[in-house]
Amino acid sequence: MKERVELVASGFGGQGVVRLGQILGQAAVKQGLHVTMLKSHGTEMRGGYVRSQVVMSPKLIDSPICESPDYFIALSLAAYKRFRDTVPPSGVILYDPAFVDALDAGLACRQLAVPAKQLSVERFNRPILANTIILGALSRHLALLDKELLLESLLAIIPKFQAENRQAFQAGYDCVH
Amino acid sequence: MDRLSSELAATYLRPRKTPSTACSGCGLGANHKIILQAVSELGLQVSDVVWGTSIGCAGRQTFATWKGDGFAGTHGRVYAIARGLRLALPAEIKLILTVGDGDAFGIGLNHLLHAARCNADMTVIVNDNLGYQSTGGQFGWTTPAGSRTDSSPYGMFEPGFMGGGLDIMNILKGAGATFLARHIARDGQAAVENMKRAILNRGFSLVHMPYPCPTNFGSTNLGTRTPVTIYRWIVERSAPLGQETADTLWATGVYLDASNSRPEFSEQVREKGQQIRRTQAA
Amino acid sequence: MKRFLETGNFAVTEGAILAGCRFFAGYPITPATEIAESMSRRLPQVGGIYVQAEDECAAMHLCIGGALGGYKAMTATSGPGYILYADPYGWAIGCETPLVILNSGRVGPVSGITGAPGQGEFYLTRYPTQGGNFETICLAPNSAQEAMAMTVEAFYLSERFRTPVTVLADQLITDGFEDISVPGNEGEMKEMGFRIWPRQIHPGPLFYPATDEIDIPPVQLGHNTGALCSDWTPTEEGYDTEEVENHHRHAFRLIYKIRNHRDLISHRCQKSFLDDDPELIVVSFGTPSRVVNTAVAKARGRGQRIGSLRLINLWPFPDELFTRKAIYLVVELNWDGQLVREVQRAAPKDSAVHFLGTCGDLPTQADLEESFNKLLANQPLTRKGWTLEAW
């Protein structure tokens, strides 16, 4: 197992970026891992970005800063532009094309489109489940975390709309390869 | 000047602090006597009261006079300490605070108002020597308009909280105090009676007691250090509520008696806490 | 033992409750507000009292009142509130009242930046009030888990030493989420090294004798012991005095009860690669130490002889940890250099002591690596155009 996994999620305020980090972190805790999660949202009021930085490791974590994220979930173009260059060639960027519509083709890392907002609107008639779809997509790539534990932690943190959340999670899982 | 009866002193005061260290002719002792007389007539024991004091003449001179437990706060803060202490002490222990005008109505006013707001059970006696006398005699927030002091050599011209249509009692009433009175020691038994009502109120009580300072206010503003003359000057400017004249600076008597009309702070906190514990698992 | 993904604020609250804290007074301020919020929820559940104060000065005075009435009491704030504690902090030092204060550092001076970490109050925790003639105790955790442990420890030390103790954290520690283990019983608390000291009642009527002894119960009111406590210089009976001789005895007690029992405090620190003949020792505390530890481990991997000394006990300053002659690099979350001055004083005379400051953001691995390389090559440190040697 890779000793230290770094994940950055960033987007606008209100997209549930902090919640997303919490769900991931909670699942990692259940799996017996050490976790740190920093949330920066000092600038959200001014239309800036919100960011969660999650570090997961079987060992005690020194730096809680994600300087070189293994996973980067980009939910706004501003966030994508700001953090894309920190992702190493071995890393993965998952982005929602509804927000990130101009890709930097020069990056060495993998960039996977997760049309979460569009899928959420198509399947559930509202965009609110986009976050869950992203999580489902992520779980396909995040070998460190058990898929079922991640879903369990999602349902524990978001107790509303359980059936839809399960469906959305699976839809996310199925939409990337 | 009235002196403490030896019986009151023997019952309630520490021998080490009697006689007091106040200036000769200071009117604080007469105020102190009114309070102790009220305490005595209520039948309170030394163990029934925790005594707090402020900074300045009134605080320093009354600190550690009470035979029982005593504490002093630094400038203006004793009301906040007392509010915390009120939450920790058994309800039957009385909190009596002897403080000064600068402490209560200047630097400590915000804390005082918040103690009144939440109706914390304490009796605050503001012994008002009409300015900052322990620092040498500067004007304060109850100094009569026009007074010459060391910091108002041309006469005090900015408004205070007393006079010109203002009265500090209005602010305290608005803040939620449940018992307010003003007396000068010369009011004698009437002052003692109202002091008793203040102490009996299970809530925030304040008694405002102007008194003469011969050393600074008297000598600088009135040109005399003679206690009787200064006292007469105060008496002439005092009148019972409802009998004020154009010259009245201090209307005396009970300004507000809403005793036990509002929930008391510590009681409310305790009751709510018990209720929460009954309904919520820790 | 329960494990949670929770914030440092949560950890501090739970630690305080485990330590027996049943009184909290606070005033809302980012990034410590969540401690007040969680105290307002948790304390009533365990028979405690939460009060919201009109300002920070009142908050700590309310805590003093609670402590004088027998409660283990606590308040929490950030820099702009910590400065308003100056009045009550002095009172509690002088009257020897046990209290715990948490300061979550943000970017200053004044209101500065609310949502970013800073370490601008290193010296303020040594001189939190005026007048001098005292020693202080300050503990600086670098994680949420340790913030819980240091809160428990702060209560322990405050009781034994009869003095306020500051836990100096920062915005990343209090706001950040981490996996946190909360002990569920006394056995688990012991296992985690938590020490508890019960509140005892001062027998009165004497205040305190002129002694450096600890473990004398603190003054309490309401027990009719004739206890006295005030802001004035006290005689040994607690009376106010203007006698310089009395003051000398009082000051002696305030200073030496702490200085003469440093063995209870000073051992707390974290050493990495220090016994491995380091050429360069990086000194830090709080969150920056975590990026420093990562960078030092990487540097060792590259074969550089670097060690890390992370201070947990800040005051009394642990001079005894600075015996080794080496190049010292002090990493702090401020630009003016505070800890570095103490390191300069404590380090062997001819040691080179350098400073790497930043504020709001932690130093990056690249920053640290560059600094290490430069110092090992005897080159001066510069960053963002500032000559950092000018501290």
Coordinates of all heavy atoms in Angstrom, one line a residue, chain C residues 196-250:
Chain C
I196 N -4.4 13.7 35.7 CA -5.5 14.5 36.3 C -5.1 14.9 37.7 O -4.6 14.1 38.5 CB -6.8 13.7 36.3 CG1 -7.1 13.1 34.9 CG2 -8.0 14.6 36.8 CD1 -7.5 14.1 33.9
W197 N -5.4 16.1 38.1 CA -5.2 16.6 39.4 C -6.5 17.2 39.9 O -7.0 18.1 39.3 CB -4.0 17.7 39.5 CG -3.5 17.9 40.8 CD1 -3.9 18.9 41.7 CD2 -2.5 17.2 41.5 NE1 -3.2 18.8 42.9 CE2 -2.3 17.8 42.8 CE3 -1.7 16.1 41.1 CZ2 -1.3 17.3 43.7 CZ3 -0.7 15.6 42.0 CH2 -0.6 16.2 43.3
P198 N -7.0 16.7 41.0 CA -8.3 17.2 41.5 C -8.2 18.6 42.1 O -7.2 18.9 42.6 CB -8.7 16.1 42.5 CG -7.5 15.6 43.1 CD -6.5 15.6 41.9
R199 N -9.3 19.3 42.0 CA -9.3 20.6 42.7 C -9.5 20.3 44.2 O -10.3 19.5 44.7 CB -10.6 21.4 42.3 CG -10.9 22.7 43.1 CD -9.7 23.7 43.0 NE -9.3 24.0 41.7 CZ -10.0 25.0 41.0 NH1 -11.0 25.6 41.4 NH2 -9.6 25.2 39.7
Q200 N -8.6 21.0 45.0 CA -8.7 20.9 46.4 C -9.0 22.2 47.0 O -8.8 23.2 46.4 CB -7.3 20.3 47.0 CG -7.2 18.9 46.7 CD -5.7 18.4 46.7 OE1 -4.8 19.2 46.6 NE2 -5.5 17.1 46.9
I201 N -9.5 22.2 48.2 CA -10.0 23.5 48.8 C -8.9 24.0 49.7 O -8.5 23.3 50.6 CB -11.3 23.3 49.5 CG1 -12.4 22.9 48.5 CG2 -11.7 24.6 50.3 CD1 -13.7 22.4 49.1
H202 N -8.5 25.2 49.5 CA -7.6 25.9 50.3 C -8.2 26.1 51.7 O -9.3 26.5 51.9 CB -7.3 27.3 49.7 CG -6.3 28.1 50.3 ND1 -6.5 28.9 51.4 CD2 -5.0 28.2 50.0 CE1 -5.3 29.5 51.7 NE2 -4.4 29.1 50.9
P203 N -7.4 25.7 52.7 CA -8.0 25.7 54.1 C -8.2 27.1 54.7 O -9.0 27.3 55.6 CB -6.9 24.9 54.9 CG -5.7 25.1 54.2 CD -6.0 25.2 52.7
G204 N -7.5 28.1 54.1 CA -7.6 29.5 54.6 C -7.1 29.5 56.1 O -6.8 28.5 56.6
P205 N -7.1 30.6 56.8 CA -7.4 31.9 56.2 C -6.1 32.5 55.6 O -6.2 33.6 54.9 CB -7.8 32.8 57.4 CG -7.1 32.1 58.6 CD -6.9 30.7 58.2
L206 N -5.0 31.8 55.7 CA -3.8 32.4 55.1 C -3.9 32.4 53.6 O -4.5 31.5 53.1 CB -2.5 31.5 55.5 CG -2.0 31.8 56.9 CD1 -0.8 30.9 57.2 CD2 -1.7 33.2 57.2
F207 N -3.3 33.3 52.9 CA -3.2 33.3 51.5 C -2.2 32.2 51.1 O -2.5 31.0 51.2 CB -2.8 34.7 51.0 CG -2.8 34.9 49.5 CD1 -4.0 34.6 48.8 CD2 -1.7 35.3 48.9 CE1 -4.0 34.8 47.4 CE2 -1.7 35.5 47.5 CZ -2.8 35.3 46.8
Y208 N -0.9 32.5 50.8 CA 0.1 31.5 50.6 C 1.3 31.9 51.3 O 1.7 33.1 51.4 CB 0.4 31.4 49.1 CG -0.8 31.0 48.3 CD1 -1.3 31.9 47.4 CD2 -1.4 29.8 48.4 CE1 -2.4 31.6 46.6 CE2 -2.5 29.4 47.6 CZ -3.0 30.3 46.7 OH -4.1 30.0 46.0
P209 N 2.1 30.9 51.9 CA 3.3 31.3 52.5 C 4.4 31.6 51.5 O 4.2 31.3 50.3 CB 3.7 30.0 53.2 CG 3.0 28.9 52.5 CD 1.7 29.5 51.9
A210 N 5.5 32.2 51.9 CA 6.6 32.6 51.0 C 7.4 31.4 50.7 O 8.4 31.1 51.4 CB 7.4 33.7 51.7
T211 N 6.9 30.6 49.8 CA 7.6 29.3 49.5 C 7.5 29.0 48.0 O 6.6 29.6 47.3 CB 6.9 28.2 50.3 OG1 7.4 26.9 49.8 CG2 5.4 28.2 50.1
D212 N 8.4 28.2 47.5 CA 8.3 27.8 46.1 C 7.5 26.5 46.0 O 7.5 25.9 44.9 CB 9.7 27.7 45.5 CG 10.5 26.6 46.2 OD1 10.1 26.1 47.2 OD2 11.6 26.3 45.7
E213 N 6.9 26.1 47.0 CA 6.2 24.8 47.0 C 5.0 24.9 46.0 O 4.3 25.9 45.9 CB 5.6 24.5 48.4 CG 6.5 23.8 49.3 CD 5.9 23.6 50.7 OE1 4.8 23.1 50.7 OE2 6.6 24.0 51.7
I214 N 4.8 23.7 45.4 CA 3.5 23.6 44.6 C 2.6 22.7 45.4 O 2.8 22.4 46.5 CB 3.8 23.0 43.2 CG1 4.5 21.6 43.4 CG2 4.7 23.9 42.4 CD1 4.6 20.8 42.0
D215 N 1.5 22.4 44.8 CA 0.5 21.5 45.4 C -0.2 22.1 46.6 O -0.7 21.3 47.5 CB 1.1 20.1 45.7 CG 1.6 19.4 44.5 OD1 1.2 19.8 43.4 OD2 2.4 18.4 44.6
I216 N -0.1 23.4 46.8 CA -0.9 24.0 47.8 C -2.3 24.3 47.2 O -2.3 24.9 46.1 CB -0.3 25.3 48.3 CG1 1.1 25.1 48.8 CG2 -1.1 26.0 49.4 CD1 1.9 26.4 49.1
P217 N -3.4 23.9 47.8 CA -4.7 24.1 47.1 C -4.9 25.6 46.9 O -4.5 26.4 47.7 CB -5.7 23.6 48.1 CG -4.9 22.6 49.0 CD -3.5 23.2 49.1
P218 N -5.5 25.9 45.7 CA -5.8 27.3 45.4 C -6.9 27.9 46.3 O -7.8 27.2 46.8 CB -6.2 27.3 44.0 CG -6.7 25.9 43.8 CD -6.0 25.0 44.7
V219 N -6.8 29.2 46.5 CA -7.8 29.9 47.3 C -9.2 29.7 46.7 O -9.4 29.8 45.5 CB -7.5 31.4 47.3 CG1 -8.7 32.3 47.7 CG2 -6.4 31.7 48.2
Q220 N -10.2 29.4 47.5 CA -11.5 29.3 47.1 C -12.4 30.1 48.0 O -12.1 30.3 49.2 CB -12.0 27.9 47.1 CG -11.6 27.2 45.8 CD -12.3 25.8 45.7 OE1 -13.4 25.7 46.1 NE2 -11.6 24.9 45.0
L221 N -13.5 30.7 47.4 CA -14.4 31.5 48.2 C -15.7 30.7 48.5 O -16.0 29.8 47.7 CB -14.7 32.8 47.5 CG -13.5 33.7 47.1 CD1 -14.0 34.9 46.3 CD2 -12.8 34.1 48.4
G222 N -16.4 31.1 49.5 CA -17.7 30.5 49.8 C -17.6 29.4 50.8 O -18.6 28.7 51.1
H223 N -16.4 29.1 51.3 CA -16.3 28.1 52.3 C -16.1 28.6 53.7 O -15.7 27.9 54.7 CB -15.2 27.1 52.0 CG -15.4 26.4 50.7 ND1 -16.1 25.2 50.6 CD2 -15.1 26.7 49.4 CE1 -16.2 24.8 49.4 NE2 -15.6 25.7 48.6
N224 N -16.2 30.0 53.8 CA -16.1 30.7 55.1 C -14.7 30.4 55.7 O -14.7 30.2 57.0 CB -17.2 30.4 56.0 CG -17.3 31.4 57.2 OD1 -17.0 32.6 56.9 ND2 -17.7 31.0 58.4
T225 N -13.7 30.3 54.9 CA -12.4 30.1 55.5 C -11.7 31.4 55.8 O -10.6 31.5 56.3 CB -11.5 29.4 54.5 OG1 -11.4 30.1 53.3 CG2 -12.0 28.0 54.2
G226 N -12.3 32.5 55.4 CA -11.7 33.8 55.6 C -10.7 34.1 54.5 O -9.8 35.0 54.7
A227 N -10.9 33.4 53.4 CA -9.9 33.6 52.3 C -10.0 35.0 51.7 O -11.1 35.5 51.6 CB -10.2 32.5 51.2
L228 N -8.9 35.5 51.3 CA -8.8 36.8 50.7 C -8.0 36.7 49.4 O -7.0 35.9 49.3 CB -8.1 37.8 51.6 CG -8.8 38.2 52.9 CD1 -7.8 39.1 53.7 CD2 -10.1 39.0 52.6
C229 N -8.5 37.4 48.4 CA -7.7 37.4 47.2 C -8.0 38.7 46.4 O -9.1 39.1 46.4 CB -7.9 36.2 46.3 SG -9.7 35.9 46.0
S230 N -7.0 39.3 45.9 CA -7.2 40.6 45.3 C -6.1 40.9 44.2 O -5.2 40.1 44.0 CB -7.1 41.7 46.3 OG -5.8 41.9 46.7
D231 N -6.2 42.0 43.6 CA -5.2 42.5 42.6 C -4.1 43.2 43.3 O -3.1 43.5 42.6 CB -5.9 43.4 41.6 CG -6.8 44.4 42.3 OD1 -7.5 44.1 43.2 OD2 -6.8 45.6 41.8
W232 N -4.2 43.4 44.6 CA -3.1 44.1 45.3 C -2.0 43.1 45.6 O -2.2 41.9 45.8 CB -3.6 44.7 46.6 CG -4.8 45.5 46.4 CD1 -6.1 45.1 46.8 CD2 -5.0 46.8 45.7 NE1 -7.0 46.1 46.4 CE2 -6.3 47.1 45.8 CE3 -4.1 47.6 45.1 CZ2 -6.8 48.3 45.2 CZ3 -4.6 48.8 44.6 CH2 -5.9 49.1 44.6
T233 N -0.8 43.6 45.9 CA 0.3 42.8 46.4 C -0.2 42.3 47.8 O -0.5 43.1 48.6 CB 1.6 43.6 46.6 OG1 2.1 43.9 45.3 CG2 2.6 42.8 47.3
P234 N -0.2 41.0 48.0 CA -0.7 40.4 49.2 C 0.3 40.2 50.3 O 1.5 39.9 49.9 CB -1.3 39.1 48.8 CG -0.4 38.7 47.7 CD 0.1 39.9 47.0
T235 N -0.1 40.3 51.5 CA 0.7 39.8 52.6 C 0.5 38.3 52.6 O -0.3 37.8 51.8 CB 0.3 40.3 53.9 OG1 -1.0 39.8 54.2 CG2 0.3 41.8 54.0
E236 N 1.2 37.6 53.4 CA 1.0 36.1 53.4 C -0.4 35.8 53.9 O -0.9 34.7 53.7 CB 2.0 35.4 54.3 CG 3.4 35.4 53.6 CD 4.5 34.9 54.5 OE1 4.3 33.9 55.2 OE2 5.6 35.5 54.4
E237 N -1.1 36.8 54.5 CA -2.5 36.5 55.0 C -3.5 37.0 53.9 O -4.7 36.7 54.0 CB -2.8 37.4 56.2 CG -2.1 36.9 57.5 CD -0.7 37.6 57.5 OE1 -0.4 38.6 56.8 OE2 0.2 37.0 58.2
G238 N -3.0 37.6 52.8 CA -3.9 38.0 51.7 C -4.3 39.5 51.8 O -5.1 40.0 51.0
Y239 N -3.9 40.2 52.9 CA -4.2 41.6 53.0 C -3.4 42.4 51.9 O -2.3 42.0 51.6 CB -3.9 42.2 54.4 CG -4.8 41.7 55.4 CD1 -4.4 40.6 56.3 CD2 -6.0 42.3 55.6 CE1 -5.3 40.1 57.2 CE2 -6.9 41.8 56.6 CZ -6.5 40.7 57.4 OH -7.4 40.3 58.4
D240 N -4.0 43.5 51.5 CA -3.3 44.4 50.5 C -2.2 45.1 51.3 O -2.3 45.5 52.4 CB -4.2 45.4 49.9 CG -5.1 46.1 50.9 OD1 -5.6 45.5 51.9 OD2 -5.2 47.3 50.8
T241 N -1.0 45.2 50.6 CA 0.1 45.9 51.3 C 0.9 46.7 50.3 O 0.9 46.5 49.1 CB 1.0 44.8 51.9 OG1 2.1 45.5 52.6 CG2 1.6 43.9 50.8
E242 N 1.5 47.7 50.9 CA 2.5 48.6 50.1 C 3.9 48.3 50.5 O 4.8 49.0 50.1 CB 2.1 50.1 50.3 CG 0.7 50.5 49.9 CD 0.6 50.8 48.4 OE1 1.5 51.4 47.9 OE2 -0.4 50.5 47.8
E243 N 4.1 47.2 51.3 CA 5.4 46.9 51.8 C 6.2 46.2 50.7 O 5.8 45.1 50.3 CB 5.3 46.0 53.0 CG 4.5 46.6 54.2 CD 5.4 47.5 55.1 OE1 6.6 47.3 55.0 OE2 4.8 48.4 55.7
V244 N 7.4 46.7 50.4 CA 8.2 46.1 49.4 C 8.7 44.7 49.8 O 8.8 43.8 49.0 CB 9.4 47.0 49.0 CG1 10.4 46.3 48.1 CG2 8.9 48.3 48.4
E245 N 8.9 44.5 51.1 CA 9.4 43.2 51.6 C 8.3 42.1 51.3 O 8.6 41.0 50.9 CB 9.6 43.3 53.1 CG 11.0 43.5 53.5 CD 12.0 42.6 52.8 OE1 11.9 41.3 53.1 OE2 12.9 43.0 52.1
N246 N 7.1 42.5 51.5 CA 6.0 41.5 51.2 C 6.0 41.2 49.7 O 5.7 40.1 49.3 CB 4.6 42.2 51.6 CG 4.3 42.0 53.0 OD1 4.4 40.8 53.5 ND2 4.0 43.0 53.7
H247 N 6.2 42.3 48.9 CA 6.1 42.1 47.5 C 7.2 41.1 47.0 O 7.1 40.2 46.2 CB 6.3 43.4 46.7 CG 6.4 43.1 45.2 ND1 7.6 43.0 44.5 CD2 5.4 42.9 44.3 CE1 7.3 42.8 43.3 NE2 6.0 42.7 43.1
H248 N 8.4 41.2 47.7 CA 9.5 40.3 47.3 C 9.1 38.9 47.6 O 9.4 38.0 46.8 CB 10.7 40.7 48.2 CG 11.9 39.8 48.0 ND1 12.7 39.4 49.0 CD2 12.4 39.3 46.8 CE1 13.6 38.6 48.5 NE2 13.4 38.5 47.2
R249 N 8.5 38.7 48.7 CA 8.1 37.3 49.1 C 7.0 36.7 48.1 O 7.1 35.6 47.6 CB 7.5 37.2 50.5 CG 8.6 37.3 51.5 CD 8.1 36.9 52.9 NE 7.3 37.9 53.5 CZ 7.8 38.9 54.3 NH1 9.1 39.0 54.5 NH2 7.0 39.8 54.8
H250 N 6.1 37.6 47.7 CA 5.1 37.3 46.7 C 5.7 36.9 45.4 O 5.4 35.9 44.8 CB 4.1 38.5 46.6 CG 3.0 38.3 45.7 ND1 2.1 37.2 45.7 CD2 2.5 39.0 44.6 CE1 1.2 37.3 44.8 NE2 1.4 38.4 44.1

